[in-house]
Amino acid sequence: MMYSWQHALFAQLAAQRATLPHALLLSGRRGIGKADFARHLARALLCEAPQPSGDACGTCPACGWFNSGNHPDYRAITLSDDDHDEEEGDEGPKKKAPTQIGINQIRALTGFMTTSTHRAGLRVVLIDPADALNTHAANALLKSLEEPLPGTLYLLVCHQPRRLPATVRSRCQHQPMPLPNPTEAREWLVAQGVTDPDLFLALCAGAPLEARVVAAEGSSARTVFMSALLRTDITLVGLSELATKIPMVQLVDWLQRFSYDLMEQKYLGQARFHIDLAKQQSALAAHLDAYDLLAWEKQLSEARRVVNHPLNPRLFVESLLAPWMTLRAAAGSY
Ligand SMILES: [Zn+2]
C-alpha cells in the first residue's frame, strides 16, 4: 500500500523502472509510511504486467505470489528473533527482543542471489529498518553492494541514515521520503477514525502513522497532554505547541486541576482529578516548592477569567506553562 503523499515519488521511480540503481536508500522519520512504500514499489517492479501508472496489476502470477508472501524473487529482511549473532561477541549484551538485523540474515541471501530469477526478471531485497543492521551484517551487505548482481535491487528503509556505515550509504542512491503536509496528514488520520488528529500529529511531529499508533493506544487528548506536562525532557516550545491544539478553556481547566492535585498530594497524599497520574504526581509533588505552586494556582484562576479572549493565544498559553516549567525544573530529577 502507498499513501497519498507518496504518489509523486512513486510515479518518478516507476518511470525509471529500466534504469533504477541497484540500491535505493529510502530515508525519513519514523511513522511516515516508508516500509509500506518500499513493499508497494517492490510489488510494482516485480509485476509482469504493470499498469500504465507503473502500479502492479494485482492479477498476474507475480502479483499473486507477492500478495501471498512467497514471490520467489523477493526477500524481506527485518528485525528477527532468530538471529542474535551468538558467535559474534562485540555487539554488547544479548537482548530478548529483536533490535538488530544480524549477519545470518544477510548470509541467508546467498542462495537466493545465486539462483536465477523467475523468467529472468528482477530480484528485490527489502531491508527494513536498515538502521538495525549490526556491524557484521552491514559488512556482509556491503560486499553485495560493492559487486552488484545485474537485475537485483536492494531497497533499504532507514529512519536515520547517519546510523548506517558511510561505506553502505555511499553504495546506495539516497532517496529522502516525503512527509505529508498537515492537511493531508489530518485527512488521512480522520479517515482512519482518529479524533483529535491535530493533537496527535503535534505529539508525533507530523508523522501520521506514528500518530495513528499513539491514538490507537487509547491515549485521550488529556492523557497525551498530561504525560507531556510531566516529562522532564519537554521544552516550553514543545509543550506550548501541544497546548495550542487544545481548546483554551479545557486547557486551563486541566492545568487548574493538575495544580490542585499536586497541592493535595503534597499535603494529603491523594489526588482528586487526574487520578490516572496519581503516582507520578505524588512522586513529583514532594519536591515542588509550595509557595511557587500556590502562585501558579492563583495565576491559573486569574487566567480562567480571560480565557475566552486572550489577546495573543500563543503567548497566553506560554505564560501559563512557563511557571510550571520553572517549578518542574526546580524540583530537579528526584
Ligand atoms: Zn501483476
Side-chain angles (χ1 to χ4, degrees), residues 43-44 46-51 55-64:
R43 188 173 78 122
L46 291 166
C47 172
E48 292 172 357
Q51 300 175 38
D55 255 316
C57 72
T59 51
C60 73
C63 283

